[in-house]
Amino acid sequence: MQSSGGGSMLGGIGSTIAQGMAFGTGSAVAHRAVDAVMGPRTIQHETVVAEAAAAAPAGSDACGVHTKAFQDCINSSGSDIGKCQFYMDMLSECRRNSMMNA
């Protein structure tokens, strides 16, 4: 809805920015409130590379499972390789751990 006074475009953009800032602040306050009640959010990464390497037959690539998952993702995603970032990260971590254990 436009006002009959012909308000400026800059005023509309400023209003939108202010509304977005208020929404973001409200969201942050709500997250803090939930954290206060439920406890802080934690993310725990677990790696089971050692088990996969122990189960792999001798002479095979210790990161073969991750390599296959990454290749399958690349083959199925076509041109959107951003979907495969998770698999690439897992493969990189596996290779890094394999080098440290070797």
Side-chain angles (χ1 to χ4, degrees), residues 2-64:
Q2 278 188 329
S3 64
S4 60
S8 71
M9 182 186 230
L10 186 59
I13 292 172
S15 172
T16 303
I17 291 172
Q19 185 178 11
M21 290 174 65
F23 179 76
T25 302
S27 178
V29 169
H31 279 105
R32 291 289 186 162
V34 169
D35 286 348
V37 173
M38 303 294 291
R41 290 168 282 181
T42 58
I43 298 173
Q44 182 178 5
H45 295 279
E46 295 182 11
T47 306
V48 291
V49 174
E51 293 174 15
S60 68
D61 182 15
C63 300

Side-chain angles (χ1 to χ4, degrees), residues 20-98:
M21 290 174 65
F23 179 76
T25 302
S27 178
V29 169
H31 279 105
R32 291 289 186 162
V34 169
D35 286 348
V37 173
M38 303 294 291
R41 290 168 282 181
T42 58
I43 298 173
Q44 182 178 5
H45 295 279
E46 295 182 11
T47 306
V48 291
V49 174
E51 293 174 15
S60 68
D61 182 15
C63 300
V65 173
H66 300 295
T67 302
K68 181 172 181 352
F70 178 65
Q71 287 297 327
D72 290 345
C73 181
I74 292 292
N75 293 337
S76 67
S77 68
S79 63
D80 188 9
I81 63 170
K83 293 179 181 177
C84 302
Q85 185 64 47
F86 171 76
Y87 298 107
M88 182 62 200
D89 293 342
M90 292 301 292
L91 179 58
S92 297
E93 185 175 340
C94 178
R95 287 181 176 165
R96 199 173 319 118
N97 288 339
S98 294

